[in-house]
Amino acid sequence: MRVPRAMPQGRRGPARPVPVSGPAAPAAARRARAPRAPFVLLVVGLLCGGLVSLLLLNAVLAKDSFRANGLRKEISGLRIEKEAKKSANTRLEMPDAVAKSNEYQGLGPDWDTARVITPDKPASRAASDGQTPAGQERVPGTGQ
């Protein structure tokens, strides 16, 4: 309940009511304060949403990490396999292995077309083209 205040003598205008203390005052003070429940629910909701989004992000990154580790292992295995094949190929290209392979297939050296390479002269003709060491004759079919 409000009671009009007395006006000073020199002042003109409408009288303003003055609040009276009583049982109506605490209810008015409670109504003036904003309710806390919606704000608390908003903050809790934002925190929960942030936590869920962080968990989802962590799960996605973990999945990609597992995939990357699997690809690294696969690449490592392929590198080892490549080195093993390269080593086996190098062994098969060695002269001894080539000679054994040719012998197994029934091939042998062709002494008639063998060329002698000397550092001062280029290899331009076969060593067996009509030349024999002094005092020796050619044996037909052997290339010597």
Side-chain angles (χ1 to χ4, degrees):
M1 168 186 247
R2 295 186 178 225
V3 177
R5 207 167 25 163
M7 298 266 299
Q9 294 267 333
R11 191 169 162 198
R12 292 185 184 171
R16 282 193 260 163
V18 177
V20 175
S21 60
R30 269 189 252 134
R31 252 186 260 127
R33 216 176 347 169
R36 290 186 183 178
F39 178 73
V40 171
L41 288 175
L42 174 70
V43 170
V44 169
L46 288 174
L47 288 175
C48 290
L51 181 64
V52 168
S53 63
L54 283 175
L55 289 174
L56 289 175
L57 181 65
N58 191 13
V60 169
L61 291 177
K63 181 180 76 168
D64 290 344
S65 176
F66 283 126
R67 184 172 179 224
N69 284 338
L71 291 174
R72 278 190 206 106
K73 287 180 183 178
E74 185 178 344
I75 288 172
S76 176
L78 290 173
R79 281 187 182 144
I80 291 171
E81 185 179 338
K82 175 188 170 188
E83 290 298 323
K85 288 183 178 184
K86 189 175 180 181
S87 175
N89 194 25
T90 303
R91 277 196 313 270
L92 290 174
E93 288 177 348
M94 295 182 112
D96 187 42
V98 171
K100 285 182 183 178
S101 174
N102 287 344
E103 188 177 307
Y104 176 74
Q105 294 176 9
L107 302 173
D110 186 8
W111 296 108
D112 292 332
T113 59
R115 299 185 185 273
V116 176
I117 301 172
T118 57
D120 56 332
K121 295 182 182 177
S124 60
R125 59 187 173 84
S128 61
D129 285 349
Q131 292 186 351
T132 57
Q136 295 182 2
E137 295 183 20
R138 271 183 98 174
V139 179
T142 61
Q144 299 179 355

